[in-house]
Amino acid sequence: MAKSNGENGPRAPAAGESLSGTRESLTQGPDAATTDELSSLGSDSEANGFAERRIDKFGFIVGSQGAEGALEEVPLEVLRQRESKWLDMLNNWDKWMAKKHKKIRLRCQKGIPPSLRGRAWQYLSGGKVKLQQNPGKFDELDMCPGDPKWLDVIERDLHRQFPFHEMFVSRGGHGQQDLFRVLKAYTLYRPEEGYCQAQAPIAAVLLMHMPAEQAFWCLVQICEKYLPGYYSEKLEAIQLDGEILFSLLQKVSPVAHKHLSRQKIDPLLYMTEWFMCAFSRTLPWSSVLRVWDMFFCEGVKIIFRVGLVLLKHALGSPEKVKACQGQYETIERLRSLSPKIMQEAFLVQEVVELPVTERQIEREHLIQLRRWQETRGELQCRSPPRLHGAKAILDAEPGPRPTLQPSPSIRLPPDAPFPGSKAKSKPSKQAQKEQQKQTKARGQPEEPPAPDQAMVEAAAGDAYPPQHVPLKDSAPQTSSAPQDSAPQVSAHHRSQESLTSQESEDTYL
């Protein structure tokens, strides 16, 4: 997939009309009259009658290419259980990532619940942390006019992104407008990279699951952490990964490797769109989402594994190789893969079981980098090092830690002294008389109530349950911990509760 540039495109919009509205610029132009098979289906008014078309659960028009493929239906009870587990993880994300990362990986392999997929992708990719670290940055970029040499190229690509999805079916609709905003913002955020056509389907998939601002920061993480250098001008990173993929193929499927070597087929001819678009334009949609779930958790290793599985099952036997005698037949086989090998359950199982590790990928990366330097010289693109998955990204960029403010867990009346103060709480006269009557009836000597008991009685009926708070006047404590440890523990508990309630306000579950 070539790097886009604005030299051969139509007239670039002037500064004043740069983004007056994508609707006008999209519906008018030299190629507006000629509609190809990838063009949008109608305007906003036509989309209002969208209910007449049948839409699948992913938002695609039934019968379109994106809606094809057998779906792996999860029982409703199992889905609800998974949602409950994911909500617990997302509300305590740092703890799970620090202590139970393997459990997160296993649950990503099983598939993230659709209702929580967008939110989970933000947490896994570190996009949520980026948003918190850069408040208002996207709005600032969104208000800027943008570089004219990229605006026209982006607009010409909008209608090509999933034209049979209800979000992008309308020219100039809200989906295409948000896609324009995200892609334009990235060209301003990284002007040295600009815009690459392969970024459009990546951003479109993100927009199907989250608002534009969150999608922008997830796109930033993909371009900078997961696939650094993929969208640079010379596409050196994707060329290097093509050589890595071909070398790994020799170990995974010697038959397929030998056939591709004999036919002298460069890896870029079949793997460029696979890797740069993260298979979003190759696999059935249910398989795309499952692959992305694992990709956000485990990194580029999943992309390599998917590519190796497809090559292995497309060209991995003598019978299949015999049907591909030349380069043309081989390329056509890889462009029109069998639906069986792309089916969700089969593909995910093969990807999980394929023995290709991060260490093997990095070892091959060093080997291919050395060969590149010997034959072509130094790389011109100085991209940051690739991070393998959510754990590595979190370790490299930990999220901000909220300051814990002390907050008592027992609320007291205004006239009641604070626990631990020298002043002793005195029961009311009516309470003293009632206690005296009770003690006389039992024939027991009168004793003043214990200070901690009075505190509990004073706090009765409060929203928080009464707890035992040690006081200076009570019995000596056996523990060597300071006496104010209980308020600190409760303060931490209250802070965790406030964080949880804040997270639950996220409308994109």
Side-chain angles (χ1 to χ4, degrees), residues 10 90 107 146 205 217 306 308 338 390 449 478 493 496:
L90 295 173
R107 290 179 179 176
V205 176
W217 289 113
V306 174
L308 292 169
S338 170
T478 56
H493 177 70
Q496 292 295 329

Side-chain angles (χ1 to χ4, degrees), residues 314-379:
L315 302 169
S317 65
E319 295 78 13
K320 295 177 180 177
V321 167
K322 288 180 181 179
C324 305
Q325 295 297 326
Q327 287 187 355
Y328 177 79
E329 291 81 6
T330 303
I331 295 297
E332 283 300 310
R333 170 65 65 88
L334 295 178
R335 287 179 177 174
S336 55
L337 295 165
S338 170
K340 177 184 176 182
I341 66 177
M342 297 189 295
Q343 195 270 334
E344 176 186 353
F346 175 83
L347 180 63
V348 170
Q349 188 66 25
E350 290 287 319
V351 168
V352 170
E353 295 178 354
L354 194 70
V356 174
T357 63
E358 299 166 5
R359 180 170 299 186
Q360 289 176 308
I361 294 174
E362 288 305 315
R363 187 186 301 118
E364 286 295 334
H365 182 272
L366 294 177
I367 294 173
Q368 298 302 328
L369 182 60
R370 192 179 304 115
R371 291 179 181 175
W372 180 291
Q373 293 171 344
E374 292 173 355
T375 58
R376 311 186 195 184
E378 293 292 332
L379 292 173

Side-chain angles (χ1 to χ4, degrees), residues 127-355:
K128 187 170 184 64
V129 174
K130 275 284 190 180
L131 191 153
Q132 293 173 346
Q133 294 174 345
N134 300 272
K137 182 65 175 179
F138 176 75
D139 294 333
E140 175 187 339
L141 297 172
D142 192 26
M143 295 298 294
C144 294
D147 191 337
K149 79 173 183 178
W150 297 124
L151 298 182
D152 207 48
V153 186
I154 293 173
E155 287 193 10
R156 285 190 284 114
D157 282 346
L158 294 180
H159 73 283
R160 300 186 178 102
Q161 313 310 322
F162 306 105
F164 299 107
H165 190 277
E166 62 176 346
M167 189 172 179
F168 303 102
V169 71
S170 171
R171 277 183 178 268
H174 69 93
Q176 292 190 9
Q177 290 182 13
D178 283 348
L179 182 58
F180 185 96
R181 295 170 59 206
V182 170
L183 296 175
K184 185 203 76 171
Y186 188 82
T187 62
L188 294 170
Y189 186 75
R190 287 288 179 260
E192 66 278 6
E193 287 190 14
Y195 166 71
C196 179
Q197 288 177 330
Q199 291 173 316
I202 296 289
V205 176
L206 295 172
L207 283 170
M208 294 178 193
H209 296 86
M210 61 191 76
E213 184 175 19
Q214 285 85 340
F216 168 75
W217 289 113
C218 284
L219 176 66
V220 168
Q221 292 297 89
I222 291 175
C223 296
E224 296 185 354
K225 302 297 189 300
Y226 288 87
L227 307 174
Y230 268 37
Y231 310 104
S232 60
E233 185 177 2
K234 300 293 183 180
L235 302 180
E236 292 175 323
I238 194 68
Q239 296 180 55
L240 202 60
D241 277 1
E243 299 299 329
I244 296 172
L245 176 71
F246 193 60
S247 179
L248 293 172
L249 181 63
Q250 187 174 11
K251 303 173 184 178
V252 173
S253 178
V255 175
H257 180 272
K258 184 178 180 180
H259 176 73
L260 292 172
S261 300
R262 188 187 303 114
Q263 298 293 337
K264 297 181 181 180
I265 299 177
D266 191 279
L268 290 178
L269 294 178
Y270 54 83
M271 58 79 63
T272 303
E273 186 175 83
W274 290 0
F275 277 51
M276 295 186 72
C277 300
F279 295 96
S280 61
R281 300 179 64 172
T282 304
L283 301 174
W285 198 248
S286 59
S287 300
V288 170
L289 297 179
R290 294 291 300 279
V291 167
W292 277 49
D293 290 346
M294 296 185 291
F295 167 64
F296 275 118
C297 182
E298 303 181 57
V300 77
K301 169 181 65 177
I302 298 300
I303 304 296
F304 276 100
R305 285 185 179 182
V306 174
L308 292 169
V309 167
L310 297 181
L311 291 170
K312 173 185 175 182
H313 289 279
L315 302 169
S317 65
E319 295 78 13
K320 295 177 180 177
V321 167
K322 288 180 181 179
C324 305
Q325 295 297 326
Q327 287 187 355
Y328 177 79
E329 291 81 6
T330 303
I331 295 297
E332 283 300 310
R333 170 65 65 88
L334 295 178
R335 287 179 177 174
S336 55
L337 295 165
S338 170
K340 177 184 176 182
I341 66 177
M342 297 189 295
Q343 195 270 334
E344 176 186 353
F346 175 83
L347 180 63
V348 170
Q349 188 66 25
E350 290 287 319
V351 168
V352 170
E353 295 178 354
L354 194 70

